[in-house]
């Protein structure tokens, strides 16, 4: 494979990446442009709908459906409703699994196995249970119920791979495009993630996983900003709709900003 595209996570900020992909598609840039797609969390969802040729459905998910019932608040605490998310991708805006499986491109998604602090990479275009894998991509302690795959518990790959630049298949690829949901120079606050692990969790394995999240994420961002083999598309400023956003207007604004960034990327490179 000569080229790859890597997708960040970021919760509801994934709408920004959906906007980028929508602009790509409108300008004739198809998923097959990249032989390898690697995504974490929200990025995995964006990539799946891009590869299956369903970006219109994907945009509706971000702008219409996720703002209605995916995130709820109880006692000032957010919760993800994975059962509602499953209904969205299987009934409301069903992902075309046949097209996904027959794609010319590979889609690798990242998952975190608690206790090991290691990233598990799954080929979504080949796996037998892609819906369950996608749901596991959004499963997080203190935000949702855990997801079981083949009898093993997995969580969002963003805890160890956000963005997922550590996938071994990327090592030999020089042309790497990265979609990020934060501006250049942004870094996760390690103290905040360590505090969250102490306050919100009781299981030692989960505490250790969450406490190291910022360290892993910042190491990836440092690498991307140093390595000239990465071509980055990212917002100039913090996105108006944050990772827990449920405001449809802000979600649509994220999409528009993604389209604008993609348009600049295409013009600058004469694509």
């Amino acid at each position: 494979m000569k080229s790859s595209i890597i997708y960040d996570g970021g919760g509801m900020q994934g709408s920004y990446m959906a906007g980028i992909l929508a602009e790509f598609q409108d300008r004739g840039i198809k998923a097959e442009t990249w032989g390898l797609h690697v995504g974490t969390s929200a990025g995995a969802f964006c990539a799946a709908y891009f590869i299956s040729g369903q970006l219109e459905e994907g945009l509706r998910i971000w702008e219409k459906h996720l703002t209605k019932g995916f995130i709820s608040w109880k006692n000032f605490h957010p919760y993800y409703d994975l059962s509602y998310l499953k209904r969205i991708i299987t009934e409301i805006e069903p992902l075309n699994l046949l097209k996904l499986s027959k794609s010319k491109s590979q889609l690798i998604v990242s998952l975190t196995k608690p206790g090991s602090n290691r990233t598990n990479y799954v080929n979504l275009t080949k796996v037998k249970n892609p819906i369950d894998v996608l749901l596991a991509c959004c499963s997080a302690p203190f935000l949702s119920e855990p997801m079981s795959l083949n009898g093993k518990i997995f969580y969002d790959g963003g805890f160890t791979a956000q963005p997922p630049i550590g996938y071994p298949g990327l090592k030999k690829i020089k042309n790497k495009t990265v979609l990020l949901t934060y501006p250049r120079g942004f870094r996760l606050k390690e103290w905040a993630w360590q505090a969250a692990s102490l306050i919100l969790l009781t299981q030692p394995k989960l505490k250790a996983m969450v406490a190291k999240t910022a360290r892993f994420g910042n190491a990836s961002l440092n690498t991307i900003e140093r390595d000239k083999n990465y071509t980055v598309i990212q917002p100039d400023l913090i996105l108006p709709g944050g990772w827990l956003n449920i405001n449809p207007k802000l979600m649509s604004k994220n999409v528009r900003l993604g389209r604008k960034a993609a348009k600049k990327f295409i013009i600058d490179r004469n694509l």
Side-chain angles (χ1 to χ4, degrees):
M1 295 181 187
K2 296 182 179 180
S3 62
S4 63
I5 181 168
I6 304 164
Y7 303 77
D8 199 4
M12 303 298 253
Q13 294 171 138
S15 52
Y16 174 80
M17 292 184 285
I20 293 173
L21 300 179
E23 190 66 27
F24 281 167
Q25 181 169 275
D26 288 352
R27 291 172 175 262
I29 300 174
K30 299 180 179 180
E32 290 80 9
T33 301
W34 298 274
L36 178 63
H37 298 243
V38 187
T40 282
S41 192
F45 273 84
C46 291
Y49 277 82
F50 186 31
I51 287 177
S52 66
Q54 296 177 276
L55 280 180
E56 289 187 11
E57 292 90 333
L59 286 175
R60 286 198 296 269
I61 289 174
W62 288 106
E63 296 183 284
K64 183 178 179 181
H65 304 303
L66 287 177
T67 56
K68 290 183 177 179
F70 177 54
I71 297 176
S72 61
W73 291 81
K74 299 177 183 178
N75 299 322
F76 304 102
H77 190 289
Y79 292 92
Y80 288 171
D81 187 344
L82 295 185
S83 61
Y84 175 59
L85 181 59
K86 184 175 183 177
R87 190 161 71 87
I88 291 174
I89 63 177
T90 59
E91 299 176 21
I92 301 173
E93 305 286 359
L95 179 63
N96 191 321
L97 300 181
L98 181 60
K99 286 187 177 181
L100 185 69
S101 66
K102 292 186 175 182
S103 170
K104 295 179 181 179
S105 302
Q106 289 187 38
L107 171 54
I108 308 298
V109 301
S110 64
L111 299 172
T112 300
K113 186 177 180 182
S116 67
N117 280 328
R118 292 181 179 179
T119 308
N120 286 63
Y121 292 100
V122 179
N123 188 336
L124 201 71
T125 51
K126 302 298 181 184
V127 73
K128 293 181 179 179
N129 54 343
I131 296 298
D132 289 341
V133 172
L134 281 174
L135 293 175
C137 284
C138 293
S139 174
F142 65 77
L143 287 174
S144 71
E145 295 297 321
M147 280 295 298
S148 176
L149 299 173
N150 299 322
K152 298 180 180 179
I153 296 297
F154 289 95
Y155 286 104
D156 187 328
F159 289 105
T160 52
Q162 183 171 327
I165 63 171
Y167 175 60
L170 291 168
K171 290 182 179 179
K172 295 182 180 181
I173 299 176
K174 291 185 177 181
N175 182 8
K176 291 178 276 198
T177 301
V178 187
L179 310 187
L180 297 180
T181 55
Y182 290 102
R184 184 177 179 84
F186 172 86
R187 294 295 184 272
L188 298 167
K189 294 180 174 60
E190 293 192 27
W191 66 266
W193 283 89
Q194 291 168 357
S197 71
L198 294 172
I199 296 170
L200 300 174
L201 299 169
T202 57
Q203 297 182 33
K205 289 183 179 181
L206 297 183
K207 280 178 176 286
M209 181 182 77
V210 173
K212 295 178 180 178
T213 296
R215 186 193 310 171
F216 288 135
N218 290 340
S220 294
L221 293 173
N222 289 339
T223 298
I224 290 169
E225 291 186 4
R226 289 196 309 262
D227 193 333
K228 294 182 179 180
N229 287 322
Y230 292 100
T231 300
V232 183
I233 305 176
Q234 62 191 140
D236 295 326
L237 302 170
I238 295 292
L239 291 170
W243 70 282
L244 289 174
N245 171 62
I246 56 174
N247 184 318
K249 291 183 179 180
L250 294 181
M251 197 76 85
S252 294
K253 191 168 184 179
N254 283 357
V255 171
R256 291 195 298 272
L257 288 170
R259 282 185 173 275
K260 182 179 178 181
K263 188 180 299 183
K264 183 178 185 302
F265 173 83
I266 292 167
I267 292 173
D268 288 348
R269 285 158 183 79
N270 295 314
L271 298 178

PDB file of all heavy atoms in Angstrom, residues 4-30:
ATOM      1  N   SER A   4      -2.062   6.023   3.194  1.00  0.00           N
ATOM      2  CA  SER A   4      -2.969   5.693   4.297  1.00  0.00           C
ATOM      3  C   SER A   4      -3.615   6.966   4.820  1.00  0.00           C
ATOM      4  O   SER A   4      -3.094   8.069   4.642  1.00  0.00           O
ATOM      5  CB  SER A   4      -2.211   4.996   5.430  1.00  0.00           C
ATOM      6  OG  SER A   4      -1.230   5.875   5.973  1.00  0.00           O
ATOM      7  N   ILE A   5      -4.750   6.793   5.462  1.00  0.00           N
ATOM      8  CA  ILE A   5      -5.424   7.905   6.126  1.00  0.00           C
ATOM      9  C   ILE A   5      -5.769   7.456   7.540  1.00  0.00           C
ATOM     10  O   ILE A   5      -6.271   6.351   7.755  1.00  0.00           O
ATOM     11  CB  ILE A   5      -6.678   8.367   5.343  1.00  0.00           C
ATOM     12  CG1 ILE A   5      -7.339   9.555   6.049  1.00  0.00           C
ATOM     13  CG2 ILE A   5      -7.651   7.230   5.104  1.00  0.00           C
ATOM     14  CD1 ILE A   5      -8.400  10.249   5.190  1.00  0.00           C
ATOM     15  N   ILE A   6      -5.461   8.299   8.498  1.00  0.00           N
ATOM     16  CA  ILE A   6      -5.596   7.976   9.919  1.00  0.00           C
ATOM     17  C   ILE A   6      -6.606   8.927  10.540  1.00  0.00           C
ATOM     18  O   ILE A   6      -6.546  10.139  10.332  1.00  0.00           O
ATOM     19  CB  ILE A   6      -4.235   8.103  10.632  1.00  0.00           C
ATOM     20  CG1 ILE A   6      -3.195   7.206   9.944  1.00  0.00           C
ATOM     21  CG2 ILE A   6      -4.350   7.743  12.109  1.00  0.00           C
ATOM     22  CD1 ILE A   6      -1.760   7.529  10.299  1.00  0.00           C
ATOM     23  N   TYR A   7      -7.530   8.363  11.307  1.00  0.00           N
ATOM     24  CA  TYR A   7      -8.628   9.137  11.880  1.00  0.00           C
ATOM     25  C   TYR A   7      -8.488   9.238  13.400  1.00  0.00           C
ATOM     26  O   TYR A   7      -8.357   8.232  14.094  1.00  0.00           O
ATOM     27  CB  TYR A   7      -9.969   8.480  11.575  1.00  0.00           C
ATOM     28  CG  TYR A   7     -10.269   8.263  10.120  1.00  0.00           C
ATOM     29  CD1 TYR A   7      -9.672   7.209   9.411  1.00  0.00           C
ATOM     30  CD2 TYR A   7     -11.177   9.077   9.440  1.00  0.00           C
ATOM     31  CE1 TYR A   7      -9.956   6.984   8.073  1.00  0.00           C
ATOM     32  CE2 TYR A   7     -11.474   8.856   8.101  1.00  0.00           C
ATOM     33  CZ  TYR A   7     -10.862   7.808   7.429  1.00  0.00           C
ATOM     34  OH  TYR A   7     -11.157   7.581   6.098  1.00  0.00           O
ATOM     35  N   ASP A   8      -8.574  10.443  13.897  1.00  0.00           N
ATOM     36  CA  ASP A   8      -8.555  10.726  15.328  1.00  0.00           C
ATOM     37  C   ASP A   8      -9.863  10.266  15.965  1.00  0.00           C
ATOM     38  O   ASP A   8     -10.835   9.931  15.280  1.00  0.00           O
ATOM     39  CB  ASP A   8      -8.399  12.237  15.510  1.00  0.00           C
ATOM     40  CG  ASP A   8      -7.914  12.637  16.885  1.00  0.00           C
ATOM     41  OD1 ASP A   8      -7.622  11.741  17.708  1.00  0.00           O
ATOM     42  OD2 ASP A   8      -7.807  13.849  17.134  1.00  0.00           O
ATOM     43  N   GLY A   9      -9.920  10.300  17.293  1.00  0.00           N
ATOM     44  CA  GLY A   9     -11.179  10.127  18.001  1.00  0.00           C
ATOM     45  C   GLY A   9     -11.727  11.511  18.331  1.00  0.00           C
ATOM     46  O   GLY A   9     -11.507  12.464  17.605  1.00  0.00           O
ATOM     47  N   GLY A  10     -12.421  11.617  19.457  1.00  0.00           N
ATOM     48  CA  GLY A  10     -12.890  12.942  19.871  1.00  0.00           C
ATOM     49  C   GLY A  10     -14.370  13.050  20.143  1.00  0.00           C
ATOM     50  O   GLY A  10     -14.913  14.152  20.183  1.00  0.00           O
ATOM     51  N   GLY A  11     -15.047  11.919  20.334  1.00  0.00           N
ATOM     52  CA  GLY A  11     -16.472  11.983  20.653  1.00  0.00           C
ATOM     53  C   GLY A  11     -17.267  12.691  19.570  1.00  0.00           C
ATOM     54  O   GLY A  11     -17.088  12.438  18.377  1.00  0.00           O
ATOM     55  N   MET A  12     -18.101  13.621  19.977  1.00  0.00           N
ATOM     56  CA  MET A  12     -18.981  14.306  19.027  1.00  0.00           C
ATOM     57  C   MET A  12     -18.215  15.236  18.082  1.00  0.00           C
ATOM     58  O   MET A  12     -18.763  15.733  17.104  1.00  0.00           O
ATOM     59  CB  MET A  12     -20.053  15.082  19.788  1.00  0.00           C
ATOM     60  CG  MET A  12     -20.896  14.219  20.718  1.00  0.00           C
ATOM     61  SD  MET A  12     -21.831  12.955  19.843  1.00  0.00           S
ATOM     62  CE  MET A  12     -23.484  13.634  19.946  1.00  0.00           C
ATOM     63  N   GLN A  13     -16.950  15.457  18.368  1.00  0.00           N
ATOM     64  CA  GLN A  13     -16.112  16.222  17.444  1.00  0.00           C
ATOM     65  C   GLN A  13     -15.832  15.442  16.160  1.00  0.00           C
ATOM     66  O   GLN A  13     -15.288  15.977  15.198  1.00  0.00           O
ATOM     67  CB  GLN A  13     -14.803  16.621  18.122  1.00  0.00           C
ATOM     68  CG  GLN A  13     -15.006  17.584  19.266  1.00  0.00           C
ATOM     69  CD  GLN A  13     -13.750  17.809  20.081  1.00  0.00           C
ATOM     70  OE1 GLN A  13     -13.432  18.921  20.462  1.00  0.00           O
ATOM     71  NE2 GLN A  13     -13.019  16.760  20.371  1.00  0.00           N
ATOM     72  N   GLY A  14     -16.227  14.178  16.148  1.00  0.00           N
ATOM     73  CA  GLY A  14     -16.109  13.385  14.938  1.00  0.00           C
ATOM     74  C   GLY A  14     -16.872  13.989  13.776  1.00  0.00           C
ATOM     75  O   GLY A  14     -16.588  13.694  12.608  1.00  0.00           O
ATOM     76  N   SER A  15     -17.836  14.855  14.080  1.00  0.00           N
ATOM     77  CA  SER A  15     -18.595  15.539  13.023  1.00  0.00           C
ATOM     78  C   SER A  15     -17.682  16.374  12.130  1.00  0.00           C
ATOM     79  O   SER A  15     -17.969  16.571  10.946  1.00  0.00           O
ATOM     80  CB  SER A  15     -19.689  16.421  13.644  1.00  0.00           C
ATOM     81  OG  SER A  15     -19.148  17.282  14.636  1.00  0.00           O
ATOM     82  N   TYR A  16     -16.591  16.861  12.686  1.00  0.00           N
ATOM     83  CA  TYR A  16     -15.603  17.620  11.898  1.00  0.00           C
ATOM     84  C   TYR A  16     -14.976  16.725  10.833  1.00  0.00           C
ATOM     85  O   TYR A  16     -14.845  17.114   9.665  1.00  0.00           O
ATOM     86  CB  TYR A  16     -14.532  18.176  12.833  1.00  0.00           C
ATOM     87  CG  TYR A  16     -13.369  18.867  12.156  1.00  0.00           C
ATOM     88  CD1 TYR A  16     -13.477  20.174  11.700  1.00  0.00           C
ATOM     89  CD2 TYR A  16     -12.147  18.218  11.999  1.00  0.00           C
ATOM     90  CE1 TYR A  16     -12.401  20.818  11.089  1.00  0.00           C
ATOM     91  CE2 TYR A  16     -11.065  18.844  11.400  1.00  0.00           C
ATOM     92  CZ  TYR A  16     -11.201  20.144  10.946  1.00  0.00           C
ATOM     93  OH  TYR A  16     -10.137  20.773  10.345  1.00  0.00           O
ATOM     94  N   MET A  17     -14.623  15.504  11.212  1.00  0.00           N
ATOM     95  CA  MET A  17     -14.047  14.567  10.255  1.00  0.00           C
ATOM     96  C   MET A  17     -15.077  14.152   9.214  1.00  0.00           C
ATOM     97  O   MET A  17     -14.739  13.957   8.034  1.00  0.00           O
ATOM     98  CB  MET A  17     -13.488  13.343  10.985  1.00  0.00           C
ATOM     99  CG  MET A  17     -12.271  13.640  11.841  1.00  0.00           C
ATOM    100  SD  MET A  17     -11.529  12.171  12.607  1.00  0.00           S
ATOM    101  CE  MET A  17     -12.740  11.842  13.907  1.00  0.00           C
ATOM    102  N   ALA A  18     -16.328  14.018   9.630  1.00  0.00           N
ATOM    103  CA  ALA A  18     -17.391  13.693   8.672  1.00  0.00           C
ATOM    104  C   ALA A  18     -17.501  14.786   7.618  1.00  0.00           C
ATOM    105  O   ALA A  18     -17.720  14.509   6.430  1.00  0.00           O
ATOM    106  CB  ALA A  18     -18.721  13.516   9.401  1.00  0.00           C
ATOM    107  N   GLY A  19     -17.332  16.044   8.028  1.00  0.00           N
ATOM    108  CA  GLY A  19     -17.355  17.160   7.084  1.00  0.00           C
ATOM    109  C   GLY A  19     -16.195  17.094   6.098  1.00  0.00           C
ATOM    110  O   GLY A  19     -16.366  17.360   4.905  1.00  0.00           O
ATOM    111  N   ILE A  20     -15.021  16.719   6.583  1.00  0.00           N
ATOM    112  CA  ILE A  20     -13.855  16.565   5.705  1.00  0.00           C
ATOM    113  C   ILE A  20     -14.135  15.511   4.637  1.00  0.00           C
ATOM    114  O   ILE A  20     -13.921  15.729   3.438  1.00  0.00           O
ATOM    115  CB  ILE A  20     -12.611  16.164   6.523  1.00  0.00           C
ATOM    116  CG1 ILE A  20     -12.174  17.306   7.443  1.00  0.00           C
ATOM    117  CG2 ILE A  20     -11.456  15.761   5.596  1.00  0.00           C
ATOM    118  CD1 ILE A  20     -11.065  16.922   8.404  1.00  0.00           C
ATOM    119  N   LEU A  21     -14.635  14.369   5.069  1.00  0.00           N
ATOM    120  CA  LEU A  21     -14.892  13.266   4.135  1.00  0.00           C
ATOM    121  C   LEU A  21     -15.991  13.610   3.142  1.00  0.00           C
ATOM    122  O   LEU A  21     -15.929  13.218   1.968  1.00  0.00           O
ATOM    123  CB  LEU A  21     -15.247  12.005   4.920  1.00  0.00           C
ATOM    124  CG  LEU A  21     -14.178  11.503   5.897  1.00  0.00           C
ATOM    125  CD1 LEU A  21     -14.673  10.270   6.628  1.00  0.00           C
ATOM    126  CD2 LEU A  21     -12.869  11.217   5.178  1.00  0.00           C
ATOM    127  N   ALA A  22     -17.006  14.347   3.594  1.00  0.00           N
ATOM    128  CA  ALA A  22     -18.089  14.753   2.696  1.00  0.00           C
ATOM    129  C   ALA A  22     -17.558  15.657   1.586  1.00  0.00           C
ATOM    130  O   ALA A  22     -17.946  15.530   0.419  1.00  0.00           O
ATOM    131  CB  ALA A  22     -19.183  15.464   3.489  1.00  0.00           C
ATOM    132  N   GLU A  23     -16.648  16.555   1.940  1.00  0.00           N
ATOM    133  CA  GLU A  23     -16.047  17.443   0.939  1.00  0.00           C
ATOM    134  C   GLU A  23     -15.170  16.648  -0.032  1.00  0.00           C
ATOM    135  O   GLU A  23     -15.177  16.903  -1.245  1.00  0.00           O
ATOM    136  CB  GLU A  23     -15.227  18.531   1.622  1.00  0.00           C
ATOM    137  CG  GLU A  23     -14.755  19.636   0.703  1.00  0.00           C
ATOM    138  CD  GLU A  23     -15.893  20.486   0.140  1.00  0.00           C
ATOM    139  OE1 GLU A  23     -16.955  20.578   0.797  1.00  0.00           O
ATOM    140  OE2 GLU A  23     -15.702  21.052  -0.952  1.00  0.00           O
ATOM    141  N   PHE A  24     -14.438  15.686   0.510  1.00  0.00           N
ATOM    142  CA  PHE A  24     -13.649  14.809  -0.357  1.00  0.00           C
ATOM    143  C   PHE A  24     -14.544  14.146  -1.397  1.00  0.00           C
ATOM    144  O   PHE A  24     -14.261  14.156  -2.598  1.00  0.00           O
ATOM    145  CB  PHE A  24     -12.954  13.719   0.470  1.00  0.00           C
ATOM    146  CG  PHE A  24     -11.707  14.163   1.184  1.00  0.00           C
ATOM    147  CD1 PHE A  24     -11.138  13.364   2.161  1.00  0.00           C
ATOM    148  CD2 PHE A  24     -11.095  15.362   0.878  1.00  0.00           C
ATOM    149  CE1 PHE A  24      -9.986  13.747   2.817  1.00  0.00           C
ATOM    150  CE2 PHE A  24      -9.935  15.770   1.535  1.00  0.00           C
ATOM    151  CZ  PHE A  24      -9.387  14.956   2.505  1.00  0.00           C
ATOM    152  N   GLN A  25     -15.623  13.548  -0.922  1.00  0.00           N
ATOM    153  CA  GLN A  25     -16.508  12.807  -1.822  1.00  0.00           C
ATOM    154  C   GLN A  25     -17.143  13.729  -2.867  1.00  0.00           C
ATOM    155  O   GLN A  25     -17.234  13.368  -4.043  1.00  0.00           O
ATOM    156  CB  GLN A  25     -17.600  12.099  -1.018  1.00  0.00           C
ATOM    157  CG  GLN A  25     -18.553  11.281  -1.882  1.00  0.00           C
ATOM    158  CD  GLN A  25     -19.452  10.397  -1.064  1.00  0.00           C
ATOM    159  OE1 GLN A  25     -19.091   9.292  -0.691  1.00  0.00           O
ATOM    160  NE2 GLN A  25     -20.646  10.882  -0.766  1.00  0.00           N
ATOM    161  N   ASP A  26     -17.568  14.908  -2.434  1.00  0.00           N
ATOM    162  CA  ASP A  26     -18.179  15.856  -3.369  1.00  0.00           C
ATOM    163  C   ASP A  26     -17.221  16.267  -4.478  1.00  0.00           C
ATOM    164  O   ASP A  26     -17.650  16.642  -5.573  1.00  0.00           O
ATOM    165  CB  ASP A  26     -18.677  17.096  -2.626  1.00  0.00           C
ATOM    166  CG  ASP A  26     -19.912  16.825  -1.780  1.00  0.00           C
ATOM    167  OD1 ASP A  26     -20.470  15.715  -1.900  1.00  0.00           O
ATOM    168  OD2 ASP A  26     -20.311  17.716  -1.011  1.00  0.00           O
ATOM    169  N   ARG A  27     -15.924  16.214  -4.186  1.00  0.00           N
ATOM    170  CA  ARG A  27     -14.917  16.620  -5.171  1.00  0.00           C
ATOM    171  C   ARG A  27     -14.272  15.424  -5.868  1.00  0.00           C
ATOM    172  O   ARG A  27     -13.227  15.546  -6.495  1.00  0.00           O
ATOM    173  CB  ARG A  27     -13.854  17.488  -4.483  1.00  0.00           C
ATOM    174  CG  ARG A  27     -14.392  18.853  -4.056  1.00  0.00           C
ATOM    175  CD  ARG A  27     -13.396  19.625  -3.221  1.00  0.00           C
ATOM    176  NE  ARG A  27     -13.896  20.963  -2.932  1.00  0.00           N
ATOM    177  CZ  ARG A  27     -13.561  22.062  -3.616  1.00  0.00           C
ATOM    178  NH1 ARG A  27     -12.723  21.968  -4.637  1.00  0.00           N
ATOM    179  NH2 ARG A  27     -14.041  23.237  -3.285  1.00  0.00           N
ATOM    180  N   GLY A  28     -14.921  14.283  -5.731  1.00  0.00           N
ATOM    181  CA  GLY A  28     -14.473  13.103  -6.460  1.00  0.00           C
ATOM    182  C   GLY A  28     -13.336  12.338  -5.832  1.00  0.00           C
ATOM    183  O   GLY A  28     -12.747  11.451  -6.474  1.00  0.00           O
ATOM    184  N   ILE A  29     -12.990  12.647  -4.599  1.00  0.00           N
ATOM    185  CA  ILE A  29     -11.928  11.923  -3.900  1.00  0.00           C
ATOM    186  C   ILE A  29     -12.575  10.797  -3.105  1.00  0.00           C
ATOM    187  O   ILE A  29     -13.262  11.031  -2.114  1.00  0.00           O
ATOM    188  CB  ILE A  29     -11.127  12.858  -2.973  1.00  0.00           C
ATOM    189  CG1 ILE A  29     -10.491  13.983  -3.793  1.00  0.00           C
ATOM    190  CG2 ILE A  29     -10.048  12.073  -2.233  1.00  0.00           C
ATOM    191  CD1 ILE A  29      -9.794  15.028  -2.945  1.00  0.00           C
ATOM    192  N   LYS A  30     -12.362   9.573  -3.553  1.00  0.00           N
ATOM    193  CA  LYS A  30     -13.034   8.421  -2.963  1.00  0.00           C
ATOM    194  C   LYS A  30     -12.188   7.746  -1.893  1.00  0.00           C
ATOM    195  O   LYS A  30     -10.989   8.003  -1.771  1.00  0.00           O
ATOM    196  CB  LYS A  30     -13.392   7.424  -4.064  1.00  0.00           C
ATOM    197  CG  LYS A  30     -14.327   7.983  -5.126  1.00  0.00           C
ATOM    198  CD  LYS A  30     -14.645   6.932  -6.180  1.00  0.00           C
ATOM    199  CE  LYS A  30     -15.591   7.482  -7.232  1.00  0.00           C
ATOM    200  NZ  LYS A  30     -15.923   6.472  -8.271  1.00  0.00           N
TER     201      LYS A  30
END
